[in-house]
Structures are given as structure tokens and as C-alpha cells.
Amino acid sequence: MSDSTQPIIFFDMDGTLLDLAFDDLIWNTKLPERHAETYQCSLEQSHSILSDFYQQHKHTLSWYSSTYWTEKVGVDVLQLQYDFKDKIAPRIGCFELLKSLQQQGYRCWLLTNADCAGLKLKLENVDLSPYFEVMISSEEIGYSKEFVEFWQILQTKHFFDPQNACLVDDTAPVLNGAAKFGIAHLVTITQPSSLRAPRHALELEFPAINDLTELLPILEQIQNKDVDVKTA
Ligand SMILES: [Mg+2]
């Protein structure tokens, strides 16, 4: 079923395969609420304390670590996510795409900046595992996906050819990190969270899809181009 011209496909999890609405709910609403309850302060105070933390740690490994947040903020952030796990949901076209890729023999890897505990929680609630030959948390790598080092270390653990790889990810700094490393095909998502307005495809730096099945024609194009190059 598979053929050697098929690119390997790397998928981000939150905001790409899964609706970022869950993470927005946890970090922007529930964490400030629980923080305010815990410290008996106003919600405004909690929002301002937390947003300072967010600004300091954005795009670092600490940012993605529930252990770090639990220590730093004094609220059990992992427990908080478990309390609202019913809200974890796939994005539009998620399973349709994954089933179709599996039928066509594509190799798919799940690469997430969520920590190992966060990855486990998501997989317990949305059954993504059957579609992936590799599933990696950046916590295991020691760098978040924004860094070239993530891709270098990943490649030593699980070999792949960056020239024949496609990354789908909703975060521009991650796509830029992957581009620096040399991943040839990069695709982003117009509406990572169903609770927020979609971003305009024209304003994004990378080709963008919303329904995940829109990736299928892009993959066809990639392979046709490769054939053109090889036969030219
Ligand atoms: Mg994401």
C-alpha cells in the first residue's frame, strides 16, 4: 500500500489534531479560578500573576511542564486537566484524515510539546495511538519543538529524511524551528481553538488548512512535484 515517495508526516497534537479549546479553558479560565481560590485573592490578581509567568516561559520546556507549573503556581495543574478531561476533543477531520493516511500506508508520527503526563491524558481520552508509529513528547527530547536541537535529537533516535517529511503544526515558532532544521513541507492550521476566531490564511507564513482532510490534496501535490523533479 505504501510507496517510497510518500513523505513521512509529523503531527502536532494540541491545536492541530485536538481542539485547543481544552487548553485555553484550562490555562486561561480554570487555572486562574483555582489559583484565586487557593490563595484567596481576586481573579484579576490571579490573571495578572499568571500572565507574568506565561510571558516569562512561553516556548520553553518549562512552559509545557505540568510539574513545573504545579511547583511554581501551587495549583495541581495536571489534576485540573483531569477534572475537565471530558472537554478534550479532536479537531474537524482528525479521524477521517488519520484513517485515510493509514489506509494509504503513510507513516505518521505524533510530536508534541505537551509533557509525558499531558500526552498520556490526551491519549486516554482521544484514541490517537493506533495511527502513529512514533509518539514523542519534547520532554523526552530535552528541547521543545521550537529549537533545531529537538529535530536533531529526534533524528538520532528515530531516523527520517527531512527532505521527504511534512509537519502539520498550529504554532509558527515551531514551524520556523522545523524549517531551520530543513523539514521540507510545512502546513499550519487556521483555527486551532474552536473558541477563537479563525486566523486568515493569507496572513499566515505557511500554507494553512482548517478541516484536517484538506491535507490530502496537499500531500498529492507534494508527491507529484517530487515525481516531476525526478523525471525532469
Ligand atoms: Mg499545537
Side-chain angles (χ1 to χ4, degrees):
M1 286 280 254
S2 76
D3 77 66
S4 60
T5 64
Q6 282 181 335
I8 188 163
I9 309 170
F10 303 146
F11 284 102
D12 167 50
M13 184 170 68
D14 302 321
T16 298
L17 294 174
L18 303 185
D19 191 342
L20 200 64
F22 171 78
D23 309 272
D24 281 345
L25 173 80
I26 296 298
W27 296 97
N28 299 335
T29 307
K30 296 301 172 189
L31 180 56
E33 283 174 12
R34 202 159 286 186
H35 181 266
E37 278 165 28
T38 307
Y39 293 97
Q40 295 289 303
C41 60
S42 72
L43 204 50
E44 287 73 28
Q45 282 168 325
S46 285
H47 271 294
S48 118
I49 292 167
L50 291 168
S51 86
D52 284 349
F53 281 135
Y54 291 175
Q55 289 311 321
Q56 279 170 37
H57 300 290
K58 212 167 180 186
H59 300 301
T60 65
L61 262 195
S62 311
W63 166 265
Y64 299 105
S65 160
S66 41
T67 318
Y68 176 84
W69 282 105
T70 300
E71 278 171 15
K72 202 80 185 158
V73 175
V75 172
D76 188 338
V77 180
L78 187 61
Q79 183 57 48
L80 187 63
Q81 294 180 66
Y82 270 91
D83 293 347
F84 294 93
K85 64 180 172 28
D86 293 350
K87 305 269 185 201
I88 299 172
R91 285 192 64 264
I92 181 168
C94 173
F95 283 105
E96 221 180 320
L97 172 68
L98 292 177
K99 279 177 190 154
S100 173
L101 293 176
Q102 192 171 57
Q103 279 163 6
Q104 294 178 60
Y106 279 93
R107 299 170 63 203
C108 297
W109 295 6
L110 183 66
L111 306 177
T112 180
N113 276 338
D115 61 5
C116 297
L119 172 60
K120 182 169 169 280
L121 164 71
K122 299 284 169 64
L123 295 179
E124 281 168 6
N125 289 278
V126 182
D127 197 15
L128 298 172
S129 313
Y131 304 97
F132 293 94
E133 63 171 35
V134 168
M135 290 185 288
I136 295 268
S137 157
S138 55
E139 189 183 24
E140 297 167 59
I141 302 283
Y143 288 90
S144 62
K145 293 184 291 179
E146 287 85 338
F147 293 87
V148 169
E149 287 88 343
F150 171 90
W151 301 97
Q152 289 166 339
I153 295 168
L154 175 68
Q155 201 187 31
T156 63
K157 292 189 177 226
H158 303 277
F159 185 77
F160 63 90
D161 172 11
Q163 275 307 309
N164 199 28
C166 175
L167 169 66
V168 189
D169 200 302
D170 64 304
T171 302
V174 169
L175 292 161
N176 285 321
K180 238 188 240 170
F181 176 73
I183 307 281
H185 307 287
L186 302 162
V187 176
T188 194
I189 301 289
T190 49
Q191 192 178 21
S193 166
S194 62
L195 291 179
R196 293 178 188 231
R199 306 180 288 183
H200 292 288
L202 290 176
E203 289 165 14
L204 296 167
E205 298 166 65
F206 300 93
I209 59 174
N210 191 38
D211 184 318
L212 286 159
T213 58
E214 292 166 36
L215 186 67
L216 293 167
I218 295 179
L219 292 174
E220 252 172 59
Q221 268 179 15
I222 290 173
Q223 286 170 84
N224 290 339
K225 260 190 218 154
D226 281 354
V227 170
D228 288 350
V229 170
K230 279 170 193 149
T231 53

